[in-house]
Amino acid sequence: MEKYKSYQSTDFLLDDHFVNWVLAPDEVSEVHWQTVFATYPAILPFAKDARRVLLNIRIKPYRKMPESMREELVANIRDHISRSPSADSRRSHQVRFRFGRWVAAACILLTIGFASYRMGIFTDAPVTGLVIVKERAGRAPQKVSNTSDIPLVVLLPDKSTVILDPGANVVYSEQDFNQHREVYLSGEAFFEVERQEPHVPFVVTTDHFTAKVLGTSFRVAASETQLAHRVIVNTGLVEVTTNETMLRVGANQEAIFEVSSAVLSQETMQELTPLSQKAVEKLFNFQAAPLDDVVASLASRYSVSISISDPELAKRTLTASLGELHLHEKLELICRAVEATYTLHDGRIILSPQKKE
Amino acid sequence: MLWRQFQQGDAEAFNILVRQYSDILYDYGTRFSPDGELVKDCIQDVFCVLWNRRKHLSEVTSIKFYLMKALRQKVIRELPKWRHTTPLDQLRADTPSFVIEIEDDLTLPLEVRKKLAASINALSPRQKELLYLRFYKNLKQDKIAGIMGLNRQSVYNLQRSALLTLRKLIDYETIAALISVCIFICTAFFAF
């Protein structure tokens, strides 16, 4: 009660009890405030002032959902319910890894399908792995080519990952990559892009368009094509620009660049992309699974080579939900769980037991 | 009651929930974006996720609170995709616009009502949203903090700044109203 003694208009305005009494008085609050004013009559003018302000703030109702829309909504939800399995085992909460940092580091996966005629150039090259060429001119860009016949992993300086398909190559500048996140791509590749604060856009340039992405939670997936170049998005937003057109591509959508007509168009994917949020929630949910299986599942989804150096290690089990994470985050988490380390050797991932100290 | 039935997988109970909260959510969602279809899609998503996760939800104290919070997050995440005119670099997911309008008080002179509307418009989106949640939805500060993802102190500060702005204005409004009354009396006086 004592605190009310020195109440001014502002104090009343910010007092939840007072506001509730003004807006929706009931017996209890009525008694309470009458007692207050009887005890401290000097504050009554301030209370009246505050009351006047509050009664002026009457916000108009805005929009009612149209009846037809409500029926559509109810029908769609009914449909969803009947299709979803009765026992929902979609999400395991048994072990929730809580790595705020990782969840915060939202990502973009971006795949650019590029006309396959380019790949012919590499058929005579030795089938080994990543070929890294440093060009000394200017900002010293680095060219990484995949001359093998399997997709290989490239880790960029900002911790973004590129999974390069056979025959593809990327060019970027090692030194100032964190300031200018620009990659030139020829061929087909799959990008998982780390979010950066302050926002530094990540730009992938090809011969026909640029794809610009920011750090809002993105997932993008792969597809193969011959006559059209594509950008396929898992979740989030990618901006695709050609000489003439700009398109924003959202979750489960793709931008298609028709090479012959040079027309850029946008389509919604009929099926969920292989690494879309919905797909990975189910896929990367492991319950006491042997490392062998977990690794096999990752390797097939990302189409990368992951090997385990020690048969004993392969038998270790883990329970985890890895859906939201980037490939390299998934690997780090797995390694923690089974006490292992992973290394990137010539684009191939190798898991080995942690050395005892 | 309805909530418990829904958690046990009662689809009919869930449908009643959907109907019951559709207007509240639509009113809230369309204040972020005039695109009704976008808001409808977001509401649909929120309910579908709610259904899928029903077994993992604890007894919810306020369904309205849960739904509004979920819808807010969803709409804010979806919005940038639909705004094609804003450059990608300038899109800020955390500051969408928000629309509120004050009921017209017909006893006030038109001039004053216009000023009042202009001042409400001049508030920041967050201030507007706060006024909406506090005075339209009648939610207390701790619930508002939960929905808007702010701590209590920030909500307090936000409410303070919004109300002080309005208070200054309403003081002005009283003076203006008084003056117009005086003018009316004087005119009436001289007319006779």
Side-chain angles (χ1 to χ4, degrees):
Chain A
M1 197 60 92
E2 188 72 24
K3 66 171 181 182
Y4 296 123
K5 198 173 164 183
S6 54
Y7 253 39
Q8 304 276 311
S9 306
T10 323
D11 301 313
F12 280 112
L13 283 175
L14 294 167
D15 188 311
D16 265 354
H17 294 291
F18 180 78
V19 174
N20 278 350
W21 172 63
V22 173
L23 298 179
D26 59 27
E27 244 171 75
V28 181
S29 60
E30 193 69 34
V31 170
H32 173 79
W33 288 104
Q34 292 312 337
T35 318
V36 171
F37 299 138
T39 320
Y40 305 110
I43 61 171
L44 195 55
F46 297 122
K48 282 189 172 158
D49 182 41
R51 189 187 156 81
R52 198 166 43 84
V53 174
L54 291 177
L55 290 180
N56 265 289
I57 308 171
R58 280 172 304 146
I59 294 167
K60 271 193 206 168
Y62 194 50
R63 291 193 185 176
K64 272 199 139 143
M65 185 179 274
E67 240 2 271
S68 60
M69 187 186 273
R70 192 184 341 269
E71 292 314 316
E72 198 190 329
L73 176 76
V74 170
N76 287 349
I77 292 170
R78 209 187 280 269
D79 192 44
H80 172 85
I81 290 173
S82 61
R83 270 186 293 117
S84 70
S86 52
D88 58 329
S89 48
R90 285 166 56 103
R91 251 173 216 250
S92 145
H93 284 246
Q94 201 183 359
V95 177
R96 290 289 287 180
F97 288 98
R98 289 166 74 193
F99 290 92
R101 186 173 63 83
W102 287 353
V103 179
C107 63
I108 312 155
L109 315 185
L110 166 71
T111 299
I112 297 179
F114 212 53
S116 48
Y117 66 84
R118 285 195 152 269
M119 295 180 186
I121 302 165
F122 297 97
T123 42
D124 298 335
V127 188
T128 47
L130 292 178
V131 175
I132 299 169
V133 183
K134 279 202 170 149
E135 284 160 31
R136 297 227 164 256
R139 289 200 315 219
Q142 173 155 333
K143 181 175 179 180
V144 183
S145 315
N146 182 0
T147 55
S148 75
D149 52 4
I150 54 163
L152 296 174
V153 182
V154 180
L155 193 63
L156 295 173
D158 67 339
K159 284 209 141 188
S160 297
T161 6
V162 185
I163 298 170
L164 269 185
D165 272 16
N169 67 71
V170 284
V171 181
Y172 61 92
S173 164
E174 182 91 23
Q175 280 87 353
D176 54 0
F177 192 78
N178 285 312
Q179 286 81 53
H180 309 279
R181 302 203 292 168
E182 292 165 10
V183 176
Y184 168 79
L185 169 74
S186 161
E188 186 161 343
F190 182 82
F191 294 81
E192 275 184 333
V193 177
E194 282 289 305
R195 182 186 194 147
Q196 236 180 23
E197 294 290 349
H199 298 300
V200 178
F202 187 100
V203 183
V204 179
T205 309
T206 74
D207 286 345
H208 291 284
F209 56 74
T210 63
K212 189 159 134 189
V213 287
L214 278 182
T216 34
S217 182
F218 283 75
R219 303 253 164 195
V220 189
S223 119
E224 288 197 351
T225 177
Q226 306 263 319
L227 300 165
H229 302 181
R230 289 159 195 260
V231 179
I232 304 172
V233 182
N234 272 5
T235 75
L237 196 62
V238 178
E239 189 177 281
V240 183
T241 318
T242 64
N243 286 337
E244 279 118 40
T245 337
M246 188 270 268
L247 272 185
R248 295 255 168 94
V249 192
N252 280 307
Q253 291 180 330
E254 58 177 342
I256 304 159
F257 182 81
E258 208 81 52
V259 180
S260 53
S261 61
V263 170
L264 185 69
S265 62
Q266 185 169 351
E267 261 181 38
T268 299
M269 305 289 289
Q270 292 304 313
E271 286 168 25
L272 287 181
T273 50
L275 282 164
S276 76
Q277 207 174 353
K278 280 190 185 145
V280 294
E281 268 174 24
K282 279 188 194 161
L283 265 164
F284 297 129
N285 215 332
F286 302 104
Q287 300 272 349
L291 184 60
D292 232 1
D293 294 356
V294 176
V295 160
S297 155
L298 282 184
S300 84
R301 272 294 143 163
Y302 281 92
S303 321
V304 290
S305 149
I306 309 176
S307 51
I308 305 170
S309 69
D310 180 339
E312 281 306 305
L313 178 62
K315 287 182 198 150
R316 290 186 197 167
T317 62
L318 78 156
T319 298
S321 295
L322 303 172
E324 297 279 318
L325 306 174
H326 285 189
L327 178 60
H328 79 90
E329 290 166 344
K330 287 189 179 96
L331 288 168
E332 276 173 35
L333 199 54
I334 291 169
C335 285
R336 265 194 221 194
V338 299
E339 293 177 338
T341 55
Y342 83 91
T343 47
L344 209 56
H345 182 73
D346 205 13
R348 296 165 174 87
I349 299 158
I350 301 161
L351 287 164
S352 3
Q354 215 161 50
K355 289 192 183 80
K356 294 260 157 54
E357 278 157 35
Chain B
M1 185 59 199
L2 213 51
W3 184 264
R4 203 164 305 148
Q5 283 176 330
F6 141 67
Q7 276 199 299
Q8 283 158 6
D10 183 339
E12 277 319 302
F14 189 60
N15 276 330
I16 296 173
L17 280 179
V18 173
R19 284 178 189 277
Q20 207 171 326
Y21 288 98
S22 53
D23 268 335
I24 293 174
L25 293 176
Y26 193 70
D27 182 276
Y28 186 40
T30 47
R31 286 169 192 270
F32 288 105
S33 161
D35 189 333
E37 276 300 314
L38 161 71
V39 174
K40 189 209 81 185
D41 283 355
C42 291
I43 294 174
Q44 192 174 311
D45 250 51
V46 165
F47 277 116
C48 290
V49 170
L50 183 66
W51 175 263
N52 293 342
R53 299 191 52 196
R54 65 188 181 279
K55 297 239 169 94
H56 307 296
L57 297 166
S58 52
E59 195 75 39
V60 167
T61 45
S62 167
I63 305 171
K64 188 167 86 173
F65 169 73
Y66 175 94
L67 289 172
M68 286 178 74
K69 183 174 175 176
L71 179 68
R72 183 184 199 273
Q73 283 175 352
K74 182 77 194 164
V75 170
I76 289 175
R77 221 170 340 162
E78 291 296 314
L79 261 180
K81 290 182 213 168
W82 298 62
R83 278 199 236 133
H84 279 239
T85 45
T86 322
L88 196 65
D89 316 50
Q90 285 167 27
L91 283 177
R92 285 286 179 278
D94 52 353
T95 56
S97 63
F98 196 84
V99 181
I100 57 170
E101 281 173 42
I102 300 283
E103 285 292 1
D104 261 350
D105 183 348
L106 294 173
T107 61
L108 293 172
L110 184 65
E111 249 336 271
V112 176
R113 298 210 305 261
K114 274 189 188 159
K115 287 258 182 202
L116 189 62
S119 306
I120 291 281
N121 263 334
L123 295 175
S124 75
R126 279 175 167 227
Q127 286 177 325
K128 288 187 205 170
E129 189 183 359
L130 180 127
L131 290 181
Y132 170 81
L133 295 173
R134 186 69 190 89
F135 296 106
Y136 188 74
K137 289 287 166 221
N138 211 359
L139 293 170
K140 296 203 174 150
Q141 287 174 13
D142 52 340
K143 284 271 191 272
I144 296 175
I147 287 181
M148 295 180 72
L150 301 168
N151 64 36
R152 274 209 63 162
Q153 188 58 41
S154 315
V155 168
Y156 186 85
N157 294 343
L158 201 57
Q159 190 177 344
R160 187 189 164 84
S161 59
L163 286 172
L164 286 182
T165 313
L166 285 183
R167 189 171 162 260
K168 262 187 217 141
L169 174 94
I170 287 162
D171 281 347
Y172 165 83
E173 166 202 316
T174 330
I175 296 163
L178 270 177
I179 291 171
S180 64
V181 169
C182 286
I183 293 171
F184 176 75
I185 293 171
C186 292
T187 338
F189 182 77
F190 285 112
F192 289 106

